[in-house]
Amino acid sequence: MSKTAEAPTQNRVIDLKAGAHMMVLDAGIFCIFHAAGQPAPGPAGLPGVRISRAPGTPAGIVTVSTFEEDGWIGASNGAALVRVTRGPAAVLVTTYQEPNSQAEAPKIQVAQLAGPTSTTPAAVVAAESAVAPAPAAAGVAEISAHVQRQGDVAAPIGEWMGTPGSQAWIEGFAIAPKTSIPTSDIEYQAVLGKGWLSPWSEGGQYCGSRGMALPILGLRVRLKGESAQTHHVRLSSTFTDGTRLGPVDGTDALEADSLAPLEAFLLEIIPNDAAEEASVKAPAKAAASKATKTTKAPAKRKASSAD
């Protein structure tokens, strides 16, 4: 018998301590994340949780997006976005621990970010209720947002929402113009993950989460109705990794290549005739300047000939 055949095998199978749970969700977009106070993972990366589409559930019905491509959300800091296009539909939550672990299995929480209001649990409604601006800002509050470590803040359109360079991310926002256009003529989305946008929210509706420590990664804003013919949107933004974008047309999603959380944004709603007026004034000003130079030259030559 060869030495190779005599050598004991080096392959090992380790039986982990695991648990599987089936979670049934209604139609909507949900965030699944770790409950506060979860222990950090050990050298083997355990404990941990994986979120996946339940067996037998069509891929088009349930989509799971995580920072890792395989649905792994780790032990304490990860999160998964789950989109259910037609509910109820099942999601599989699997927990993994070291073989001899005596600790409780990781615990998770679920928050609904968007979806039919008729299927939204009362607890989630409370977490996602529209942001009411502070009384002192009631006269100027056209944008409301929930900002990390600051809570609910408000600002008028045309000023920064959030503070560039603060590294405090925005968890959600609402836009309700008061003077430039009707509130019903604006709608917006939040970037939730790579290739993931929330459903369109109408003017005045809150988009995102509040108090869940879940950042949005960007936003998209567009006009509709008569306002889409008379005005246009200009958007600038900063992100927690230092990325700065804009000003650009807000109809395209504004997000950092790194998918860093959104830190601040500047929304401007500009009348189309203002842009046209500026384009007309520029050539007229240049022509007037040229004409002034032309009339001054002969006067100078006349004075020289008199001498």
Side-chain angles (χ1 to χ4, degrees), residues 92-161:
L92 192 63
V93 180
T94 310
T95 61
Y96 300 89
Q97 297 173 272
E98 295 281 4
N100 299 321
S101 174
Q102 300 301 314
E104 293 183 354
K107 296 180 179 180
I108 61 170
Q109 294 181 336
V110 181
Q112 184 170 358
L113 303 182
T117 55
S118 61
T119 61
T120 305
V124 176
V125 172
E128 293 192 345
S129 58
V131 180
V140 297
E142 295 180 291
I143 305 177
S144 304
H146 191 80
V147 180
Q148 183 189 30
R149 299 190 298 271
Q150 298 180 34
D152 296 341
V153 297
I157 290 173
E159 295 186 10
W160 282 94
M161 167 50 69

Short mmCIF file of all heavy atoms in Angstrom, two decimals, residues 92-161:
data_model
loop_
_atom_site.label_atom_id
_atom_site.label_comp_id
_atom_site.label_asym_id
_atom_site.label_seq_id
_atom_site.Cartn_x
_atom_site.Cartn_y
_atom_site.Cartn_z
N LEU A 92 -35.82 32.82 4.10
CA LEU A 92 -35.16 31.89 5.01
C LEU A 92 -34.07 32.63 5.79
O LEU A 92 -33.20 33.26 5.21
CB LEU A 92 -34.55 30.74 4.21
CG LEU A 92 -34.06 29.53 5.01
CD1 LEU A 92 -35.22 28.85 5.73
CD2 LEU A 92 -33.35 28.54 4.08
N VAL A 93 -34.16 32.55 7.12
CA VAL A 93 -33.16 33.15 8.01
C VAL A 93 -32.42 32.01 8.72
O VAL A 93 -33.02 31.25 9.48
CB VAL A 93 -33.82 34.07 9.04
CG1 VAL A 93 -32.76 34.69 9.96
CG2 VAL A 93 -34.62 35.17 8.35
N THR A 94 -31.13 31.90 8.46
CA THR A 94 -30.33 30.81 9.03
C THR A 94 -29.24 31.38 9.93
O THR A 94 -28.49 32.27 9.51
CB THR A 94 -29.67 29.96 7.93
OG1 THR A 94 -30.67 29.59 6.96
CG2 THR A 94 -29.05 28.70 8.50
N THR A 95 -29.17 30.90 11.15
CA THR A 95 -28.14 31.35 12.09
C THR A 95 -27.08 30.27 12.25
O THR A 95 -27.37 29.07 12.21
CB THR A 95 -28.76 31.66 13.47
OG1 THR A 95 -29.36 30.47 14.00
CG2 THR A 95 -29.82 32.74 13.35
N TYR A 96 -25.84 30.71 12.44
CA TYR A 96 -24.70 29.78 12.58
C TYR A 96 -23.89 30.18 13.81
O TYR A 96 -23.62 31.36 14.04
CB TYR A 96 -23.81 29.85 11.35
CG TYR A 96 -24.51 29.47 10.06
CD1 TYR A 96 -25.18 30.44 9.31
CD2 TYR A 96 -24.51 28.16 9.58
CE1 TYR A 96 -25.82 30.11 8.12
CE2 TYR A 96 -25.15 27.82 8.39
CZ TYR A 96 -25.80 28.80 7.67
OH TYR A 96 -26.44 28.47 6.51
N GLN A 97 -23.49 29.16 14.60
CA GLN A 97 -22.67 29.37 15.78
C GLN A 97 -21.57 28.31 15.86
O GLN A 97 -21.64 27.28 15.18
CB GLN A 97 -23.53 29.30 17.05
CG GLN A 97 -24.60 30.39 17.14
CD GLN A 97 -25.52 30.17 18.33
OE1 GLN A 97 -26.53 29.47 18.20
NE2 GLN A 97 -25.18 30.75 19.47
N GLU A 98 -20.58 28.57 16.69
CA GLU A 98 -19.53 27.58 16.94
C GLU A 98 -20.17 26.31 17.53
O GLU A 98 -21.21 26.38 18.20
CB GLU A 98 -18.50 28.14 17.92
CG GLU A 98 -17.72 29.33 17.40
CD GLU A 98 -16.60 28.91 16.46
OE1 GLU A 98 -16.49 27.69 16.16
OE2 GLU A 98 -15.83 29.77 16.02
N PRO A 99 -19.55 25.14 17.28
CA PRO A 99 -20.16 23.86 17.73
C PRO A 99 -20.51 23.81 19.20
O PRO A 99 -21.57 23.31 19.58
CB PRO A 99 -19.09 22.82 17.38
CG PRO A 99 -18.30 23.45 16.27
CD PRO A 99 -18.29 24.92 16.56
N ASN A 100 -19.63 24.36 20.05
CA ASN A 100 -19.86 24.26 21.49
C ASN A 100 -20.37 25.56 22.11
O ASN A 100 -20.29 25.75 23.33
CB ASN A 100 -18.56 23.84 22.19
CG ASN A 100 -18.07 22.48 21.70
OD1 ASN A 100 -18.88 21.57 21.48
ND2 ASN A 100 -16.75 22.36 21.53
N SER A 101 -20.88 26.45 21.29
CA SER A 101 -21.34 27.75 21.80
C SER A 101 -22.53 27.58 22.74
O SER A 101 -23.47 26.83 22.46
CB SER A 101 -21.74 28.65 20.63
OG SER A 101 -22.30 29.85 21.12
N GLN A 102 -22.45 28.25 23.88
CA GLN A 102 -23.53 28.24 24.85
C GLN A 102 -24.34 29.53 24.80
O GLN A 102 -25.31 29.70 25.55
CB GLN A 102 -22.97 28.05 26.27
CG GLN A 102 -22.19 26.75 26.45
CD GLN A 102 -23.05 25.52 26.18
OE1 GLN A 102 -24.19 25.43 26.64
NE2 GLN A 102 -22.52 24.57 25.42
N ALA A 103 -23.96 30.43 23.92
CA ALA A 103 -24.64 31.72 23.81
C ALA A 103 -25.94 31.56 23.02
O ALA A 103 -26.14 30.59 22.29
CB ALA A 103 -23.74 32.74 23.14
N GLU A 104 -26.81 32.52 23.19
CA GLU A 104 -28.04 32.52 22.41
C GLU A 104 -27.73 32.77 20.94
O GLU A 104 -26.73 33.39 20.60
CB GLU A 104 -29.00 33.60 22.92
CG GLU A 104 -29.55 33.35 24.31
CD GLU A 104 -30.55 34.40 24.73
OE1 GLU A 104 -30.72 35.40 23.98
OE2 GLU A 104 -31.17 34.23 25.79
N ALA A 105 -28.58 32.28 20.08
CA ALA A 105 -28.42 32.52 18.65
C ALA A 105 -28.58 34.00 18.35
O ALA A 105 -29.27 34.72 19.10
CB ALA A 105 -29.43 31.70 17.86
N PRO A 106 -27.94 34.50 17.30
CA PRO A 106 -28.10 35.91 16.94
C PRO A 106 -29.56 36.29 16.78
O PRO A 106 -30.37 35.50 16.28
CB PRO A 106 -27.34 36.01 15.61
CG PRO A 106 -26.36 34.88 15.65
CD PRO A 106 -27.05 33.77 16.39
N LYS A 107 -29.88 37.49 17.20
CA LYS A 107 -31.25 37.98 17.09
C LYS A 107 -31.31 39.08 16.02
O LYS A 107 -30.40 39.88 15.88
CB LYS A 107 -31.73 38.53 18.43
CG LYS A 107 -31.81 37.48 19.53
CD LYS A 107 -32.30 38.08 20.83
CE LYS A 107 -32.40 37.02 21.93
NZ LYS A 107 -32.87 37.60 23.20
N ILE A 108 -32.42 39.10 15.29
CA ILE A 108 -32.56 40.08 14.23
C ILE A 108 -33.85 40.86 14.42
O ILE A 108 -34.74 40.46 15.17
CB ILE A 108 -32.56 39.43 12.83
CG1 ILE A 108 -33.74 38.46 12.70
CG2 ILE A 108 -31.25 38.72 12.56
CD1 ILE A 108 -33.96 37.95 11.29
N GLN A 109 -33.91 41.99 13.73
CA GLN A 109 -35.11 42.81 13.71
C GLN A 109 -35.48 43.08 12.26
O GLN A 109 -34.63 43.02 11.36
CB GLN A 109 -34.88 44.13 14.45
CG GLN A 109 -34.65 43.96 15.95
CD GLN A 109 -34.46 45.28 16.65
OE1 GLN A 109 -34.07 46.26 16.05
NE2 GLN A 109 -34.73 45.30 17.94
N VAL A 110 -36.73 43.42 12.03
CA VAL A 110 -37.23 43.69 10.68
C VAL A 110 -37.95 45.03 10.67
O VAL A 110 -38.78 45.30 11.55
CB VAL A 110 -38.18 42.58 10.20
CG1 VAL A 110 -38.67 42.87 8.78
CG2 VAL A 110 -37.50 41.22 10.26
N ALA A 111 -37.61 45.87 9.70
CA ALA A 111 -38.30 47.14 9.53
C ALA A 111 -38.78 47.24 8.09
O ALA A 111 -38.03 46.93 7.16
CB ALA A 111 -37.38 48.31 9.86
N GLN A 112 -40.01 47.65 7.90
CA GLN A 112 -40.53 47.84 6.55
C GLN A 112 -40.20 49.26 6.10
O GLN A 112 -40.58 50.24 6.74
CB GLN A 112 -42.04 47.61 6.51
CG GLN A 112 -42.61 47.69 5.10
CD GLN A 112 -44.04 47.22 5.01
OE1 GLN A 112 -44.61 46.81 6.01
NE2 GLN A 112 -44.62 47.29 3.83
N LEU A 113 -39.49 49.36 4.99
CA LEU A 113 -39.08 50.66 4.46
C LEU A 113 -40.11 51.23 3.51
O LEU A 113 -40.23 52.44 3.37
CB LEU A 113 -37.73 50.54 3.75
CG LEU A 113 -36.57 50.00 4.59
CD1 LEU A 113 -35.30 49.98 3.77
CD2 LEU A 113 -36.38 50.82 5.85
N ALA A 114 -40.81 50.38 2.79
CA ALA A 114 -41.81 50.83 1.82
C ALA A 114 -42.77 49.69 1.56
O ALA A 114 -42.44 48.53 1.75
CB ALA A 114 -41.15 51.29 0.53
N GLY A 115 -43.95 50.04 1.10
CA GLY A 115 -44.93 49.02 0.78
C GLY A 115 -46.33 49.51 1.06
O GLY A 115 -46.53 50.63 1.53
N PRO A 116 -47.33 48.70 0.78
CA PRO A 116 -48.72 49.09 0.99
C PRO A 116 -48.97 49.43 2.45
O PRO A 116 -48.56 48.70 3.35
CB PRO A 116 -49.52 47.84 0.59
CG PRO A 116 -48.59 47.07 -0.31
CD PRO A 116 -47.20 47.36 0.19
N THR A 117 -49.61 50.57 2.69
CA THR A 117 -49.86 50.98 4.08
C THR A 117 -50.78 50.02 4.80
O THR A 117 -50.73 49.88 6.01
CB THR A 117 -50.48 52.38 4.10
OG1 THR A 117 -51.67 52.38 3.29
CG2 THR A 117 -49.52 53.41 3.56
N SER A 118 -51.61 49.31 4.04
CA SER A 118 -52.56 48.39 4.67
C SER A 118 -51.87 47.18 5.28
O SER A 118 -52.43 46.52 6.13
CB SER A 118 -53.59 47.91 3.65
OG SER A 118 -52.95 47.22 2.58
N THR A 119 -50.63 46.91 4.85
CA THR A 119 -49.92 45.74 5.38
C THR A 119 -48.79 46.15 6.32
O THR A 119 -48.01 45.33 6.74
CB THR A 119 -49.31 44.92 4.23
OG1 THR A 119 -48.38 45.73 3.52
CG2 THR A 119 -50.39 44.43 3.29
N THR A 120 -48.69 47.45 6.65
CA THR A 120 -47.60 47.92 7.50
C THR A 120 -47.97 47.77 8.96
O THR A 120 -48.98 48.32 9.41
CB THR A 120 -47.30 49.40 7.21
OG1 THR A 120 -47.03 49.54 5.82
CG2 THR A 120 -46.10 49.87 8.00
N PRO A 121 -47.19 47.01 9.74
CA PRO A 121 -47.49 46.86 11.16
C PRO A 121 -47.49 48.20 11.87
O PRO A 121 -46.80 49.13 11.47
CB PRO A 121 -46.35 45.96 11.67
CG PRO A 121 -45.80 45.30 10.45
CD PRO A 121 -46.00 46.27 9.33
N ALA A 122 -48.23 48.31 12.96
CA ALA A 122 -48.32 49.57 13.69
C ALA A 122 -46.97 50.04 14.17
O ALA A 122 -46.67 51.24 14.17
CB ALA A 122 -49.29 49.40 14.87
N ALA A 123 -46.11 49.11 14.63
CA ALA A 123 -44.79 49.50 15.12
C ALA A 123 -43.95 50.13 14.03
O ALA A 123 -43.18 51.05 14.28
CB ALA A 123 -44.07 48.28 15.70
N VAL A 124 -44.10 49.63 12.80
CA VAL A 124 -43.33 50.18 11.70
C VAL A 124 -43.89 51.53 11.30
O VAL A 124 -43.17 52.44 10.94
CB VAL A 124 -43.33 49.22 10.51
CG1 VAL A 124 -42.62 49.82 9.32
CG2 VAL A 124 -42.64 47.92 10.91
N VAL A 125 -45.21 51.68 11.36
CA VAL A 125 -45.81 52.98 11.05
C VAL A 125 -45.25 54.04 11.97
O VAL A 125 -44.94 55.16 11.57
CB VAL A 125 -47.35 52.90 11.19
CG1 VAL A 125 -47.96 54.28 11.06
CG2 VAL A 125 -47.93 51.98 10.14
N ALA A 126 -45.11 53.71 13.25
CA ALA A 126 -44.56 54.67 14.19
C ALA A 126 -43.13 55.03 13.84
O ALA A 126 -42.71 56.18 13.98
CB ALA A 126 -44.61 54.10 15.61
N ALA A 127 -42.36 54.05 13.36
CA ALA A 127 -40.97 54.31 13.01
C ALA A 127 -40.84 55.09 11.74
O ALA A 127 -39.84 55.75 11.51
CB ALA A 127 -40.22 52.98 12.87
N GLU A 128 -41.86 55.03 10.86
CA GLU A 128 -41.78 55.68 9.58
C GLU A 128 -42.71 56.86 9.43
O GLU A 128 -42.94 57.34 8.34
CB GLU A 128 -42.09 54.67 8.46
CG GLU A 128 -41.07 53.60 8.32
CD GLU A 128 -41.31 52.83 7.03
OE1 GLU A 128 -42.38 52.94 6.44
OE2 GLU A 128 -40.40 52.13 6.63
N SER A 129 -43.27 57.34 10.51
CA SER A 129 -44.21 58.44 10.41
C SER A 129 -43.54 59.66 9.82
O SER A 129 -42.33 59.85 9.93
CB SER A 129 -44.75 58.78 11.81
OG SER A 129 -43.69 59.11 12.68
N ALA A 130 -44.32 60.49 9.15
CA ALA A 130 -43.75 61.66 8.47
C ALA A 130 -43.03 62.55 9.46
O ALA A 130 -43.46 62.72 10.61
CB ALA A 130 -44.86 62.44 7.78
N VAL A 131 -41.94 63.14 9.03
CA VAL A 131 -41.14 63.99 9.90
C VAL A 131 -41.83 65.33 10.08
O VAL A 131 -42.13 66.01 9.11
CB VAL A 131 -39.75 64.21 9.29
CG1 VAL A 131 -38.92 65.10 10.19
CG2 VAL A 131 -39.06 62.87 9.09
N ALA A 132 -42.11 65.71 11.29
CA ALA A 132 -42.69 67.02 11.56
C ALA A 132 -41.58 67.99 11.90
O ALA A 132 -40.81 67.78 12.83
CB ALA A 132 -43.66 66.92 12.73
N PRO A 133 -41.42 69.10 11.15
CA PRO A 133 -40.35 70.04 11.43
C PRO A 133 -40.56 70.73 12.78
O PRO A 133 -41.68 70.83 13.27
CB PRO A 133 -40.45 71.03 10.28
CG PRO A 133 -41.86 70.93 9.81
CD PRO A 133 -42.25 69.50 10.02
N ALA A 134 -39.49 71.18 13.34
CA ALA A 134 -39.57 71.90 14.60
C ALA A 134 -40.38 73.18 14.40
O ALA A 134 -40.34 73.79 13.33
CB ALA A 134 -38.16 72.25 15.10
N PRO A 135 -41.13 73.64 15.43
CA PRO A 135 -41.96 74.82 15.27
C PRO A 135 -41.19 76.03 14.78
O PRO A 135 -41.69 76.81 13.99
CB PRO A 135 -42.51 75.04 16.70
CG PRO A 135 -42.49 73.68 17.31
CD PRO A 135 -41.30 73.00 16.72
N ALA A 136 -39.96 76.20 15.23
CA ALA A 136 -39.18 77.36 14.83
C ALA A 136 -38.88 77.35 13.35
O ALA A 136 -38.62 78.39 12.76
CB ALA A 136 -37.87 77.40 15.62
N ALA A 137 -38.89 76.16 12.72
CA ALA A 137 -38.56 76.06 11.30
C ALA A 137 -39.79 75.89 10.43
O ALA A 137 -39.70 75.65 9.25
CB ALA A 137 -37.61 74.89 11.07
N ALA A 138 -40.99 76.03 11.05
CA ALA A 138 -42.21 75.73 10.32
C ALA A 138 -42.39 76.60 9.09
O ALA A 138 -42.97 76.18 8.10
CB ALA A 138 -43.40 75.89 11.26
N GLY A 139 -41.89 77.82 9.12
CA GLY A 139 -42.09 78.71 7.99
C GLY A 139 -41.19 78.41 6.81
O GLY A 139 -41.47 78.86 5.71
N VAL A 140 -40.11 77.68 7.02
CA VAL A 140 -39.15 77.45 5.94
C VAL A 140 -38.96 75.98 5.63
O VAL A 140 -38.25 75.64 4.70
CB VAL A 140 -37.78 78.08 6.29
CG1 VAL A 140 -37.90 79.57 6.43
CG2 VAL A 140 -37.22 77.47 7.59
N ALA A 141 -39.58 75.11 6.41
CA ALA A 141 -39.31 73.69 6.26
C ALA A 141 -39.98 73.14 5.00
O ALA A 141 -41.19 72.98 4.95
CB ALA A 141 -39.79 72.93 7.48
N GLU A 142 -39.17 72.90 3.97
CA GLU A 142 -39.66 72.25 2.76
C GLU A 142 -39.05 70.86 2.61
O GLU A 142 -39.59 70.03 1.90
CB GLU A 142 -39.33 73.10 1.53
CG GLU A 142 -40.04 74.45 1.51
CD GLU A 142 -39.68 75.25 0.29
OE1 GLU A 142 -38.51 75.71 0.20
OE2 GLU A 142 -40.54 75.43 -0.59
N ILE A 143 -37.92 70.63 3.27
CA ILE A 143 -37.27 69.32 3.29
C ILE A 143 -37.12 68.90 4.74
O ILE A 143 -36.60 69.66 5.56
CB ILE A 143 -35.89 69.34 2.61
CG1 ILE A 143 -35.99 69.89 1.19
CG2 ILE A 143 -35.28 67.95 2.60
CD1 ILE A 143 -34.66 70.01 0.49
N SER A 144 -37.60 67.72 5.07
CA SER A 144 -37.43 67.15 6.40
C SER A 144 -36.59 65.89 6.26
O SER A 144 -36.70 65.17 5.26
CB SER A 144 -38.78 66.80 7.02
OG SER A 144 -39.62 67.93 7.07
N ALA A 145 -35.75 65.61 7.25
CA ALA A 145 -34.91 64.41 7.19
C ALA A 145 -34.60 63.93 8.59
O ALA A 145 -34.65 64.70 9.56
CB ALA A 145 -33.62 64.69 6.42
N HIS A 146 -34.27 62.65 8.67
CA HIS A 146 -33.78 62.09 9.92
C HIS A 146 -32.29 61.81 9.74
O HIS A 146 -31.90 61.04 8.85
CB HIS A 146 -34.51 60.79 10.28
CG HIS A 146 -34.22 60.32 11.67
ND1 HIS A 146 -34.85 60.85 12.78
CD2 HIS A 146 -33.36 59.40 12.15
CE1 HIS A 146 -34.40 60.26 13.87
NE2 HIS A 146 -33.49 59.37 13.52
N VAL A 147 -31.46 62.48 10.54
CA VAL A 147 -30.01 62.45 10.38
C VAL A 147 -29.38 61.73 11.57
O VAL A 147 -29.81 61.92 12.72
CB VAL A 147 -29.43 63.88 10.25
CG1 VAL A 147 -27.92 63.84 10.09
CG2 VAL A 147 -30.07 64.60 9.07
N GLN A 148 -28.39 60.91 11.28
CA GLN A 148 -27.69 60.15 12.33
C GLN A 148 -27.19 61.09 13.43
O GLN A 148 -26.60 62.14 13.16
CB GLN A 148 -26.51 59.40 11.71
CG GLN A 148 -25.73 58.53 12.67
CD GLN A 148 -24.46 57.98 12.06
OE1 GLN A 148 -23.86 58.62 11.20
NE2 GLN A 148 -24.04 56.81 12.48
N ARG A 149 -27.46 60.75 14.66
CA ARG A 149 -27.03 61.46 15.86
C ARG A 149 -27.68 62.83 16.03
O ARG A 149 -27.41 63.53 17.00
CB ARG A 149 -25.49 61.62 15.90
CG ARG A 149 -24.72 60.30 15.92
CD ARG A 149 -23.25 60.55 16.21
NE ARG A 149 -22.63 61.36 15.20
CZ ARG A 149 -22.06 60.87 14.09
NH1 ARG A 149 -22.06 59.55 13.88
NH2 ARG A 149 -21.50 61.67 13.21
N GLN A 150 -28.53 63.24 15.10
CA GLN A 150 -29.18 64.54 15.21
C GLN A 150 -30.70 64.43 15.33
O GLN A 150 -31.34 65.29 15.91
CB GLN A 150 -28.84 65.41 14.00
CG GLN A 150 -27.36 65.72 13.87
CD GLN A 150 -27.07 66.59 12.65
OE1 GLN A 150 -27.88 67.44 12.27
NE2 GLN A 150 -25.93 66.38 12.01
N GLY A 151 -31.26 63.37 14.76
CA GLY A 151 -32.70 63.23 14.77
C GLY A 151 -33.34 63.96 13.61
O GLY A 151 -32.75 64.09 12.54
N ASP A 152 -34.55 64.47 13.82
CA ASP A 152 -35.30 65.13 12.75
C ASP A 152 -34.82 66.56 12.57
O ASP A 152 -34.75 67.33 13.54
CB ASP A 152 -36.80 65.12 13.08
CG ASP A 152 -37.37 63.71 13.13
OD1 ASP A 152 -36.73 62.81 12.57
OD2 ASP A 152 -38.45 63.53 13.72
N VAL A 153 -34.52 66.92 11.34
CA VAL A 153 -34.07 68.27 11.01
C VAL A 153 -34.86 68.75 9.80
O VAL A 153 -35.48 67.96 9.09
CB VAL A 153 -32.56 68.33 10.73
CG1 VAL A 153 -31.76 67.94 11.96
CG2 VAL A 153 -32.20 67.38 9.57
N ALA A 154 -34.84 70.06 9.57
CA ALA A 154 -35.60 70.63 8.46
C ALA A 154 -34.80 71.75 7.80
O ALA A 154 -33.95 72.38 8.43
CB ALA A 154 -36.95 71.15 8.95
N ALA A 155 -35.09 71.99 6.53
CA ALA A 155 -34.42 73.05 5.78
C ALA A 155 -35.28 73.44 4.59
O ALA A 155 -36.11 72.64 4.13
CB ALA A 155 -33.04 72.58 5.30
N PRO A 156 -35.11 74.66 4.08
CA PRO A 156 -35.84 75.04 2.86
C PRO A 156 -35.15 74.49 1.62
O PRO A 156 -33.95 74.19 1.64
CB PRO A 156 -35.78 76.57 2.90
CG PRO A 156 -34.52 76.87 3.64
CD PRO A 156 -34.38 75.78 4.67
N ILE A 157 -35.90 74.37 0.55
CA ILE A 157 -35.31 74.01 -0.74
C ILE A 157 -34.34 75.12 -1.14
O ILE A 157 -34.63 76.30 -0.98
CB ILE A 157 -36.41 73.81 -1.79
CG1 ILE A 157 -37.21 72.54 -1.47
CG2 ILE A 157 -35.83 73.74 -3.20
CD1 ILE A 157 -38.43 72.33 -2.35
N GLY A 158 -33.18 74.74 -1.67
CA GLY A 158 -32.16 75.71 -2.03
C GLY A 158 -31.07 75.84 -1.00
O GLY A 158 -30.08 76.55 -1.21
N GLU A 159 -31.22 75.15 0.15
CA GLU A 159 -30.18 75.11 1.17
C GLU A 159 -29.82 73.65 1.45
O GLU A 159 -30.61 72.74 1.21
CB GLU A 159 -30.63 75.80 2.45
CG GLU A 159 -30.86 77.29 2.28
CD GLU A 159 -31.17 77.98 3.60
OE1 GLU A 159 -31.02 77.32 4.66
OE2 GLU A 159 -31.57 79.15 3.57
N TRP A 160 -28.63 73.43 2.01
CA TRP A 160 -28.16 72.07 2.26
C TRP A 160 -29.01 71.39 3.33
O TRP A 160 -29.28 71.96 4.39
CB TRP A 160 -26.70 72.07 2.71
CG TRP A 160 -25.74 72.25 1.58
CD1 TRP A 160 -25.19 73.42 1.15
CD2 TRP A 160 -25.22 71.23 0.72
NE1 TRP A 160 -24.37 73.18 0.08
CE2 TRP A 160 -24.36 71.85 -0.21
CE3 TRP A 160 -25.41 69.84 0.65
CZ2 TRP A 160 -23.68 71.14 -1.19
CZ3 TRP A 160 -24.74 69.12 -0.32
CH2 TRP A 160 -23.89 69.77 -1.23
N MET A 161 -29.43 70.18 3.02
CA MET A 161 -30.01 69.30 4.03
C MET A 161 -28.92 68.37 4.51
O MET A 161 -28.35 67.62 3.72
CB MET A 161 -31.17 68.49 3.43
CG MET A 161 -31.63 67.33 4.33
SD MET A 161 -31.95 67.77 6.04
CE MET A 161 -33.42 68.78 5.87
#
